[in-house]
Coordinates of all heavy atoms in Angstrom, one line a residue:
P1 N 134.9 85.7 46.7 CA 134.8 84.8 47.9 C 133.8 83.6 47.6 O 133.2 83.5 46.5 CB 134.3 85.6 49.0 CG 133.4 86.7 48.3 CD 134.0 86.8 47.0
S2 N 133.5 82.8 48.6 CA 132.5 81.7 48.3 C 131.2 82.5 48.2 O 130.9 83.4 49.0 CB 132.5 80.8 49.6 OG 133.8 80.2 49.6
P3 N 130.2 82.0 47.5 CA 129.0 82.6 47.3 C 128.1 82.6 48.6 O 128.2 81.6 49.3 CB 128.3 81.8 46.2 CG 128.9 80.5 46.2 CD 130.4 80.7 46.6
L4 N 127.5 83.7 48.8 CA 126.6 83.8 50.0 C 125.2 83.5 49.7 O 124.7 84.0 48.6 CB 126.7 85.2 50.7 CG 128.1 85.6 51.0 CD1 128.1 87.1 51.6 CD2 128.7 84.7 52.1
L5 N 124.6 82.7 50.4 CA 123.2 82.1 50.0 C 122.1 82.5 51.1 O 122.4 82.8 52.2 CB 123.2 80.6 50.0 CG 124.4 79.9 49.1 CD1 124.3 78.5 49.2 CD2 124.2 80.4 47.7
R6 N 120.9 82.5 50.6 CA 119.8 82.8 51.5 C 118.6 81.8 51.0 O 118.6 81.4 49.9 CB 119.2 84.2 51.3 CG 120.2 85.3 51.8 CD 119.6 86.7 51.7 NE 118.7 86.9 52.8 CZ 119.0 87.3 54.0 NH1 120.2 87.5 54.3 NH2 118.1 87.4 55.0
R7 N 117.8 81.5 52.0 CA 116.5 80.7 51.8 C 115.5 81.3 52.4 O 115.5 82.0 53.4 CB 116.8 79.3 52.2 CG 117.0 79.1 53.8 CD 117.1 77.7 54.2 NE 117.4 77.6 55.6 CZ 116.5 77.7 56.6 NH1 115.2 78.0 56.2 NH2 116.8 77.7 57.9
R8 N 114.3 80.9 52.0 CA 113.0 81.5 52.5 C 112.7 80.7 53.8 O 113.0 79.5 53.9 CB 111.8 81.2 51.5 CG 111.9 82.1 50.4 CD 110.8 81.8 49.3 NE 109.5 82.0 49.8 CZ 108.4 81.8 49.1 NH1 108.5 81.4 47.8 NH2 107.2 81.9 49.6
Q9 N 112.3 81.5 54.8 CA 112.0 80.9 56.2 C 110.7 80.1 56.1 O 109.8 80.2 55.3 CB 111.6 82.0 57.1 CG 112.9 82.8 57.6 CD 112.5 83.8 58.6 OE1 111.7 84.7 58.4 NE2 113.0 83.7 59.8
T10 N 110.7 79.1 57.0 CA 109.5 78.3 57.2 C 108.9 78.7 58.5 O 109.6 78.6 59.5 CB 109.8 76.7 57.1 OG1 110.4 76.3 55.9 CG2 108.6 75.9 57.4
V11 N 107.7 79.1 58.5 CA 107.0 79.6 59.7 C 105.6 78.9 59.9 O 105.0 78.4 59.0 CB 106.7 81.1 59.6 CG1 108.0 81.9 59.5 CG2 105.8 81.4 58.4
P12 N 105.2 78.7 61.1 CA 103.9 78.1 61.4 C 102.8 78.9 60.9 O 102.8 80.0 60.9 CB 103.9 78.0 62.9 CG 105.3 78.2 63.4 CD 106.0 79.1 62.4
R13 N 101.7 78.2 60.5 CA 100.6 78.9 60.0 C 99.7 79.4 61.2 O 99.9 79.1 62.3 CB 99.7 77.9 59.2 CG 100.2 77.6 57.8 CD 99.3 76.8 57.0 NE 99.8 76.5 55.6 CZ 99.7 77.2 54.6 NH1 99.0 78.4 54.8 NH2 100.2 76.9 53.5
K14 N 98.9 80.4 60.9 CA 98.0 81.0 61.9 C 97.0 79.9 62.4 O 96.6 79.1 61.6 CB 97.3 82.2 61.4 CG 98.2 83.4 61.2 CD 97.5 84.5 60.6 CE 97.1 84.2 59.0 NZ 96.6 85.4 58.3
L15 N 96.5 80.0 63.6 CA 95.5 79.3 64.1 C 94.3 80.2 64.5 O 94.4 81.1 65.2 CB 95.9 78.5 65.4 CG 95.0 77.5 66.1 CD1 94.5 76.5 65.1 CD2 95.6 77.1 67.3
L16 N 93.2 79.9 64.0 CA 91.9 80.7 64.2 C 90.9 79.8 64.9 O 90.5 78.8 64.3 CB 91.4 81.3 62.9 CG 90.1 81.9 63.0 CD1 90.1 83.2 64.0 CD2 89.7 82.5 61.7
L17 N 90.5 80.1 66.1 CA 89.4 79.4 66.7 C 88.1 80.2 66.8 O 88.2 81.3 67.3 CB 89.9 79.0 68.2 CG 91.1 78.1 68.4 CD1 91.3 77.7 69.8 CD2 90.8 76.7 67.5
L18 N 87.0 79.7 66.4 CA 85.7 80.4 66.5 C 84.9 79.5 67.4 O 84.5 78.4 67.1 CB 85.1 80.5 65.1 CG 85.9 81.3 64.0 CD1 85.4 81.0 62.6 CD2 85.8 82.8 64.4
I19 N 84.5 80.0 68.6 CA 83.9 79.3 69.7 C 82.4 79.7 69.8 O 82.1 80.9 70.0 CB 84.6 79.6 71.0 CG1 86.1 79.1 70.9 CG2 84.0 78.7 72.1 CD1 86.9 79.5 72.1
D20 N 81.6 78.7 69.7 CA 80.1 78.9 69.8 C 79.9 79.0 71.3 O 80.1 78.1 72.1 CB 79.4 77.8 69.2 CG 77.8 77.9 69.2 OD1 77.3 78.8 69.9 OD2 77.2 77.1 68.5
V21 N 79.3 80.1 71.8 CA 78.9 80.3 73.2 C 77.4 80.4 73.5 O 76.9 80.9 74.5 CB 79.6 81.6 73.8 CG1 81.1 81.4 73.8 CG2 79.1 82.8 73.0
S22 N 76.7 79.7 72.5 CA 75.2 79.8 72.8 C 74.8 78.8 73.8 O 75.6 78.0 74.3 CB 74.4 79.4 71.4 OG 74.9 78.1 71.0
G23 N 73.5 78.7 74.2 CA 73.1 77.9 75.2 C 73.2 76.5 75.0 O 73.4 75.7 75.9
S24 N 73.1 76.0 73.7 CA 73.4 74.5 73.4 C 74.8 74.1 73.7 O 75.0 72.9 73.7 CB 72.8 74.3 72.0 OG 73.7 75.0 71.1
M25 N 75.6 75.0 73.8 CA 77.1 74.6 74.0 C 77.5 74.9 75.3 O 78.8 74.9 75.7 CB 77.9 75.4 73.0 CG 77.7 75.0 71.5 SD 78.2 73.4 71.1 CE 79.9 73.6 71.2

């Protein structure tokens, strides 16, 4: 039959937030 194909997925990167909760902020 016609060849069956696959491709690698494209996915969003992770998001990492580091929040300063000290008195100056």
